[in-house]
Amino acid sequence: MEMILNTMRMVDHDQAREHSLGDEKSLEEHLPIGILNPKDFKKLNLTRSLHLTVSNKNGQIIVGIKEDEGVPQGTILMPVSIWANQLTSFEKNEIIYKNITVNVEASRDPITSFNQIINSIKSN
Amino acid sequence: MKRIPCTGCSLLCDDIIVRSDGLFIDEVIGACLKGKERFDQLSSSNRILSPMIKKNGVLEKCSWEDALEKTSEIIKSSSKPLLYGFSNVSCEAQLKGIELAKVVDGFIDSNSSICQGKVLNIAKNTGITLTTITEIINKADLIVLWGANAAESIPRLLNKILFSRGKFRMTGREIRTLIIIDPVKVASFNVMGVRDIALQIQPNKDLELIRVLKEECCVADSISSEGVAGLDRDDLKRLILNLSEAENGVIFIGQGVLRPQSESNLVGELLELVQMINTKQEKGRISLIMMGGHFNMAGFDHVALSTCGKNGGLQFDKHQLIDTDDNIVSKIDNEDFGCSIIVGTDPISHLPLSLSQKLATKPIIVVDNKKSATTSIADIVLPSAITGIEVPGTAYRLDQVPIELKTILNPPSNIPSDEELLTKIIDKINKS
């Protein structure tokens, strides 16, 4: 399903805190997460045990799911992090953090790990 | 017990009480989650306590002499060093960063260039009416959060500006109207009262709203009966009434408003709207505050402006500042750098993948007090003391007011401050 991705900073999903105080495990618990409206959750036939594959022309990641009625339908929220950065882009020297078109699907694959992303950056 | 300013975010709360014996911090009173996290960094397992150099793909501890020697070697063998970050360090360290860029003919930019610095650049054409937190506490009767989730990004902001009781008015929250314009029902919506206005705008429709408000400023009753951007006509009428009749109104601009200029000049049109309202205003004015998150993001703009006449994107050649339109994004995208010196920030966690990959192709030197995604791909990691706890300095609050930061403890293992460390690098380069 095509959706709009907005990245934002959230106190419970804060990369600075996880980097300062946590380890890779806590990063992977708190940051790779997509927050959806419950109606979109139903449309995508999701269950709590599933994950989300979020992709666009810039990249693809697998993240966990959270429901929130405050999120408008058709929008997926993600905390600013190394995971959301796989989908962000830039145009004319400015980074685009909001209103990014992405494709969202249910997935049974495991959440993309921190090391997978770091290795993809290193190996380029 | 000591009262100190907190460097957890750009609000730099100056009412945090810390109890310490000089060796450890026993108690922190009054800090929010972000502030507490800053103090917790002191003893965190992710704290960097020793310099490290990458050997066979793995970072290994080394002596300061070896680390500085290798740092100097990398910088001197690189034709175009790139310096980036500087929003989580003191103004004194920012000044040293600019000096280093000058010595090595490098390019220096701060996080501000992809955040609030964009507003300052646009304001060069339109002008901007700013205000201070003290002015808001004492006099504000209207507070607008536009694309700004204050409750989560600057947790004590609403506590200070919305619920406080001002010196020059005998009233507080009861005369303050809060308006939130955001496509997401963020945590800040939870503090709204009956007189407040919650405007959950449709995603990416802010420009439509601003244009309708500008039109309404010129011709009354120009709003169509269907409303605009998913907002009700009556709510829009209340919004324009509040904006045009506030005695002291303030709009907090968040990341939600900072769209790429190529997409739309949203900030420019918002600044024009504020000017139009202020021209029409008979009894008051609307001001703006930019909600940069890092504790001294505003500082780099001030330091760069006062020393070089430009708030960011400083390119040096033959030890002189030269004119350039480049910013951190264009420099990395064009791979126009030989190595990078990252100070107090984590670009791998906030730049798009394609830029991170390009940054990783050249040697990376990181100056920071904690591990991050960037340290995990760095070639050299140099630890620094925590500013505002272990070393003093100056920082600019989000309302552009300078605050003196204090020190409570000595840094462990004689770790230098960012300023001292950058001075050592400059000395090493000058001597070798």
Side-chain angles (χ1 to χ4, degrees), chain A residues 67-118:
Chain A
E67 289 175 80
D68 188 330
E69 284 184 355
V71 180
Q73 280 188 65
T75 295
I76 176 168
L77 290 188
M78 287 184 68
V80 175
S81 74
I82 198 164
W83 281 270
N85 291 343
Q86 308 300 297
L87 306 162
T88 56
S89 62
F90 58 97
E91 202 177 289
K92 294 190 179 166
N93 303 338
E94 290 188 79
I95 300 174
I96 302 168
Y97 287 115
K98 309 271 180 192
N99 304 306
I100 303 160
T101 305
V102 291
N103 191 52
V104 179
E105 286 169 26
S107 172
R108 289 194 186 280
D109 293 334
I111 289 171
T112 311
S113 74
F114 178 77
N115 282 333
Q116 269 177 280
I117 297 174
I118 290 295

Side-chain angles (χ1 to χ4, degrees), chain B residues 217-288:
Chain B
C217 268
C218 301
V219 186
D221 289 325
S222 62
I223 302 171
S224 73
S225 56
E226 302 93 55
V228 68
L231 303 174
D232 181 72
R233 184 176 187 267
D234 289 342
D235 280 345
L236 291 171
K237 298 283 278 181
R238 283 178 68 203
L239 170 63
I240 195 76
L241 192 72
N242 273 285
L243 287 170
S244 56
E245 297 208 345
E247 285 183 28
N248 275 283
V250 59
I251 301 175
F252 284 85
I253 302 178
Q255 190 75 30
V257 181
L258 303 179
R259 305 282 160 68
Q261 287 272 302
S262 53
E263 206 177 281
S264 64
N265 187 10
L266 193 58
V267 172
E269 297 228 16
L270 180 58
L271 294 177
E272 281 171 17
L273 170 67
V274 170
Q275 278 189 344
M276 286 172 77
I277 293 167
N278 284 344
T279 307
K280 270 189 79 175
Q281 270 268 24
E282 288 176 359
K283 58 177 182 178
R285 64 163 187 184
I286 300 291
S287 308
L288 291 161

Side-chain angles (χ1 to χ4, degrees), chain B residues 404-429:
Chain B
E404 188 190 344
L405 306 177
K406 293 177 182 164
T407 175
I408 318 156
L409 304 173
N410 290 322
S413 317
N414 291 320
I415 291 176
S417 68
D418 298 294
E419 183 193 1
E420 288 165 343
L421 188 44
L422 291 165
T423 306
K424 283 181 183 183
I425 295 172
I426 293 170
D427 290 346
K428 193 84 189 168
I429 288 168

Side-chain angles (χ1 to χ4, degrees), chain B residues 155-419:
Chain B
R156 292 188 68 210
L157 182 68
L158 292 176
N159 181 13
K160 289 200 170 194
I161 61 168
L162 189 65
F163 297 102
S164 54
R165 196 161 282 274
K167 210 183 243 179
F168 306 113
R169 287 172 183 267
M170 289 308 290
T171 50
R173 175 68 175 110
E174 55 271 34
I175 67 128
R176 286 195 179 126
T177 302
L178 175 66
I179 298 176
I180 303 180
I181 305 169
D182 208 303
V184 180
K185 204 171 175 187
V186 290
S188 308
F189 278 74
N190 296 334
V191 301
M192 301 199 91
V194 284
R195 61 179 295 134
D196 302 330
I197 308 172
L199 300 174
Q200 199 173 353
I201 190 172
Q202 286 172 348
N204 211 11
K205 298 278 184 181
D206 304 66
L207 193 63
E208 277 180 42
L209 171 62
I210 291 170
R211 288 185 177 159
V212 165
L213 294 175
K214 281 163 88 174
E215 205 176 317
E216 183 72 10
C217 268
C218 301
V219 186
D221 289 325
S222 62
I223 302 171
S224 73
S225 56
E226 302 93 55
V228 68
L231 303 174
D232 181 72
R233 184 176 187 267
D234 289 342
D235 280 345
L236 291 171
K237 298 283 278 181
R238 283 178 68 203
L239 170 63
I240 195 76
L241 192 72
N242 273 285
L243 287 170
S244 56
E245 297 208 345
E247 285 183 28
N248 275 283
V250 59
I251 301 175
F252 284 85
I253 302 178
Q255 190 75 30
V257 181
L258 303 179
R259 305 282 160 68
Q261 287 272 302
S262 53
E263 206 177 281
S264 64
N265 187 10
L266 193 58
V267 172
E269 297 228 16
L270 180 58
L271 294 177
E272 281 171 17
L273 170 67
V274 170
Q275 278 189 344
M276 286 172 77
I277 293 167
N278 284 344
T279 307
K280 270 189 79 175
Q281 270 268 24
E282 288 176 359
K283 58 177 182 178
R285 64 163 187 184
I286 300 291
S287 308
L288 291 161
I289 284 196
M290 297 160 284
M291 281 219 337
H294 298 158
F295 82 80
N296 198 19
M297 188 183 279
F300 190 86
D301 293 327
H302 283 271
V303 171
L305 261 172
S306 59
T307 54
C308 301
K310 201 178 164 203
N311 62 319
L314 308 174
Q315 176 71 63
F316 291 91
D317 187 30
K318 294 175 187 152
H319 313 305
Q320 297 289 321
L321 183 71
I322 59 165
D323 197 26
T324 180
D325 290 330
D326 274 324
N327 70 356
I328 184 67
V329 177
S330 63
K331 289 296 274 191
I332 299 174
D333 186 35
N334 298 328
E335 298 185 75
D336 187 20
F337 65 103
C339 73
S340 59
I341 304 153
I342 309 296
V343 181
T345 193
D346 181 14
I348 298 300
S349 285
H350 65 248
L351 293 179
L353 174 68
S354 57
L355 292 179
S356 293
Q357 286 174 330
K358 286 183 177 176
L359 193 68
T361 58
K362 310 277 172 71
I364 300 176
I365 300 157
V366 176
V367 175
D368 209 339
N369 50 54
K370 60 183 185 294
K371 290 176 194 162
S372 66
T374 307
T375 60
S376 62
I377 62 159
D379 295 89
I380 300 178
V381 177
L382 303 171
S384 61
I386 299 178
T387 306
I389 301 177
E390 294 171 341
V391 287
T394 311
Y396 278 79
R397 206 166 57 188
L398 79 170
D399 56 350
Q400 321 297 318
V401 173
I403 304 286
E404 188 190 344
L405 306 177
K406 293 177 182 164
T407 175
I408 318 156
L409 304 173
N410 290 322
S413 317
N414 291 320
I415 291 176
S417 68
D418 298 294
E419 183 193 1

Side-chain angles (χ1 to χ4, degrees), chain B residues 25-42:
Chain B
I25 289 181
D26 300 319
E27 194 176 10
V28 178
I29 303 166
C32 67
L33 270 175
K34 283 196 159 187
K36 184 183 173 299
E37 162 199 320
R38 183 78 175 161
F39 289 97
D40 286 347
Q41 281 174 17
L42 285 166

